[in-house]
Amino acid sequence: MKNFIERSVLSFNLTKTVIYTLEYRIIYFLSRSFSPYVKAPHRENRKDLIEYLRNQVIEIHKIDAENVANNIYPIDVIIPKASRDHVKNLPKLLLDSLRISRRRKLNIKNDINQEDLGDTPDYLNRNYHFQTDGYFSEDSARLYEHQVEILFSGTAAPMRRRLIQKIKEAHSFERPIRILEIGAGVGTASVDFAKSFKYSSYIVSDVSSPYLKTAKKRLKGDFEFVKARGEDLPFKDEEFDLVFSVYLFHELPRSVREQVIKESHRVLKKGGVFAICDSIQKDDDPLLNQVLEGFPLDYHEPFYKDYTLWDAKNSLADSGFKNIHTDHKLLSKYWTATRD
Ligand SMILES: C[S@@+](CC[C@H](N)C(=O)[O-])C[C@H]1O[C@@H](n2cnc3c(N)ncnc32)[C@H](O)[C@@H]1O
């Protein structure tokens, strides 16, 4: 039975990878045909790299399948979150890819309606990934998850939820817990986390109102939605058993990253767990260093290079965290740490 579950999950995940890869090819073709941009140097001689990445993609899907078979999370996490929206959004997404490509070509990074920003800090006033409206419109929120899955060939969700496995290795969490998610975006990880932990309260937080609004629409159940910056959390000391973030840190300036860690330490209960899933860093996998160099150029990520060089373990220890563990697979890296 376990083997059957593993094989089924693997086949299902690989099918998603085929679909997203196909969509990537279409977008690439459209962008190159209608709005060509200068090729980044890392795009040369890619054959070996693609072969290597292909094997890593299969690996991450195998890990996902094992985690389902071992009850780390339930099987329904693999069901696409919004298949109807996927088809409905496709034409918009293809059209938007041309706008993105144009922005990339002309290096337009601050094409954001300032009225939508409100009191957002300066470092966020930009088109991350050259995406339309940055993180500050409902249209952007609608397309975001789909765009990320295309970028990662359908491995983004499995890479995100591998953090659940890492957290469960750090703590058994037998009783219902209080969870805080920082930079939750449109709630992609929240769906899987809520199915995998017993919780008495789950706070989904982000700095973007439109992204939170979209998260609110999709997350039915016992969630609280709070607009908050990770570096200035509106919570009391020692409120949570688990604080985590996914793909947040690489988008923050170093001083903000350090402050998010301090704030997470402050709001965690003693013995609580802090967990991060983010990009791999320089030399985690030397074969992928060239991908790390190209990514910030192609996807407008101004703090990414510094992130890849940042010693997160040191920052966690400086803030008082103990039992710091790291691991990485494909393009994602995981940290877990406990508050003393
Ligand atoms: C790359 S997205 C990741 C979203 C989501 N966690 C995911 O896995 O798809 C980064 C998210 O962090 C949010 N964000 C950026 N800076 C933030 C900050 N200082 N505090 C809280 N959220 C922030 C953005 O609005 C965006 O939703």
Side-chain angles (χ1 to χ4, degrees):
M1 185 64 182
K2 214 170 140 184
N3 274 350
F4 172 74
I5 294 175
E6 271 188 50
R7 275 205 306 272
S8 312
V9 173
L10 181 60
S11 316
F12 193 70
N13 279 355
L14 288 172
T15 307
K16 283 191 281 186
T17 283
V18 170
I19 294 170
Y20 283 116
T21 307
L22 203 67
E23 290 176 4
Y24 179 90
R25 301 300 308 169
I26 296 171
I27 286 177
Y28 188 68
F29 171 78
L30 284 176
S31 309
R32 304 273 314 148
S33 308
F34 297 107
S35 184
Y37 68 95
V38 182
K39 272 171 132 194
H42 74 283
R43 289 185 176 277
E44 305 300 335
N45 302 323
R46 302 170 75 204
K47 263 199 173 146
D48 291 352
L49 177 64
I50 288 177
E51 183 60 32
Y52 181 71
L53 283 170
R54 191 174 294 141
N55 290 331
Q56 290 266 304
V57 165
I58 295 170
E59 279 289 302
I60 195 78
H61 285 323
K62 277 189 182 160
I63 290 173
D64 201 41
E66 273 166 29
N67 281 341
V68 171
N70 292 330
N71 287 322
I72 305 289
Y73 34 76
I75 193 157
D76 60 351
V77 300
I78 66 163
I79 297 167
K81 274 51 177 191
S83 0
R84 241 189 27 214
D85 290 353
H86 184 115
V87 177
K88 214 171 76 189
N89 281 337
L90 205 52
K92 276 191 197 148
L93 195 136
L94 294 179
L95 261 180
D96 196 45
S97 70
L98 296 179
R99 284 192 216 118
I100 291 174
S101 186
R102 179 180 169 275
R103 242 175 251 118
R104 185 179 280 135
K105 181 186 174 193
L106 301 176
N107 203 22
I108 297 170
K109 301 178 282 205
N110 299 83
D111 176 18
I112 295 197
N113 183 353
Q114 297 300 309
E115 279 171 24
D116 296 338
L117 282 170
D119 57 356
T120 308
D122 275 355
Y123 64 85
L124 272 162
N125 181 2
R126 62 184 70 252
N127 302 79
Y128 280 99
H129 320 139
F130 291 108
Q131 69 194 37
T132 306
D133 305 327
Y135 289 123
F136 297 98
S137 76
E138 286 181 40
D139 282 342
S140 154
R142 205 167 298 125
L143 299 183
Y144 172 78
E145 186 175 328
H146 195 154
Q147 288 168 326
V148 173
E149 278 301 5
I150 288 177
L151 174 65
F152 289 120
S153 298
T155 61
M159 285 199 292
R160 284 186 183 96
R161 60 181 167 253
R162 187 160 184 245
L163 187 62
I164 296 170
Q165 177 200 343
K166 295 288 138 194
I167 293 168
K168 290 193 172 181
E169 283 167 10
H171 202 304
S172 58
F173 285 131
E174 268 141 23
R175 271 175 278 172
I177 55 172
R178 288 174 62 81
I179 302 178
L180 168 65
E181 182 175 354
I182 305 174
V186 295
T188 317
S190 329
V191 182
D192 294 347
F193 270 68
K195 286 179 181 160
S196 310
F197 291 97
K198 285 192 208 114
Y199 59 92
S200 55
S201 89
Y202 191 138
I203 294 186
V204 177
S205 74
D206 198 279
V207 76
S208 158
S209 305
Y211 274 52
L212 270 183
K213 197 171 163 190
T214 304
K216 204 169 180 172
K217 272 189 213 149
R218 78 191 309 199
L219 294 167
K220 307 287 172 226
D222 208 5
F223 297 93
E224 210 181 307
F225 299 87
V226 177
K227 185 177 169 185
R229 285 185 291 134
E231 63 272 36
D232 186 16
L233 293 170
F235 306 108
K236 293 201 229 68
D237 294 358
E238 303 188 27
E239 269 199 55
F240 299 98
D241 302 280
L242 171 63
V243 174
F244 77 95
S245 77
V246 178
Y247 301 142
L248 167 69
F249 277 76
H250 71 275
E251 299 204 332
L252 305 176
R254 188 178 285 229
S255 61
V256 180
R257 266 178 250 142
E258 309 272 353
Q259 190 55 32
V260 174
I261 290 180
K262 287 199 179 89
E263 278 290 85
S264 301
H265 188 271
R266 180 183 68 74
V267 301
L268 265 171
K269 292 179 191 168
K270 290 198 170 73
V273 174
F274 180 48
I276 305 172
C277 162
D278 217 300
S279 161
I280 51 168
Q281 296 179 294
K282 187 166 189 302
D283 294 333
D284 281 336
D285 185 341
L287 279 172
L288 297 182
N289 278 347
Q290 56 173 316
V291 176
L292 307 194
E293 281 161 28
F295 177 67
L297 305 175
D298 277 358
Y299 289 91
H300 182 46
E301 289 278 5
F303 310 111
Y304 186 82
K305 183 167 183 208
D306 180 68
Y307 162 84
T308 63
L309 304 169
W310 173 56
D311 187 346
K313 225 170 173 175
N314 202 31
S315 299
L316 288 162
D318 278 355
S319 292
F321 280 110
K322 298 275 185 297
N323 307 319
I324 305 166
H325 294 283
T326 63
D327 192 10
H328 63 88
K329 189 67 163 178
L330 185 57
L331 294 164
S332 293
K333 184 163 183 174
Y334 307 88
W335 288 264
T336 55
T338 49
R339 188 204 198 284
D340 230 4

